[in-house]
């Protein structure tokens, strides 16, 4: 990766996920919204270097690898909060 996404990209992804949740009638945006919108928001923000293009690496593969490294269930609830 020659250039990665900026902090503004994360803000745009969060805004898109919240808009998606509103359109779906959900009270909040979950990871499914982020996962589905990630390629649309990040596709033009991640630029590969010349060697990646020569090795036939595509930005979609890089984005899939990024999403695969995120542990969706790795965060526990704060103390005193019950999940139901």
């Amino acid at each position: 990766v020659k250039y990665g996404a900026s902090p503004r990209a994360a803000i745009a992804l969060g805004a898109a996920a919240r808009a998606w949740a509103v359109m779906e009638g959900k009270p909040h945006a979950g990871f499914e919204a982020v996962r589905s919108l990630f390629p649309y928001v990040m596709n033009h923000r991640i630029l590969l270097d010349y060697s990646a293009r020569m090795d036939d690496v595509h930005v979609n593969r890089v984005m899939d690898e990024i999403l695969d490294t995120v542990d969706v269930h790795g965060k526990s609830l704060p103390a005193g909060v019950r999940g139901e």
Side-chain angles (χ1 to χ4, degrees):
V1 174
K2 185 173 185 174
Y3 296 107
S6 69
R8 285 178 35 214
I11 294 168
L13 184 58
R18 287 189 301 276
W20 180 86
V22 168
M23 291 188 307
E24 293 290 317
K26 296 185 178 190
H28 57 82
F31 189 69
E32 69 278 355
V34 172
R35 181 177 284 282
S36 64
L37 294 168
F38 189 82
Y40 300 106
V41 175
M42 298 296 176
N43 190 27
H44 66 284
R45 298 174 191 261
I46 298 172
L47 301 176
L48 301 180
D49 62 4
Y50 182 73
S51 63
R53 287 183 279 170
M54 291 303 295
D55 292 338
D56 202 29
V57 175
H58 297 280
V59 72
N60 291 339
R61 186 168 120 199
V62 173
M63 289 188 299
D64 287 341
E65 289 180 18
I66 291 169
L67 288 174
D68 289 342
T69 61
V70 176
D71 185 12
V72 179
H73 302 290
K75 305 292 181 195
S76 59
L77 292 173
V81 176
R82 294 183 321 192
E84 296 179 19

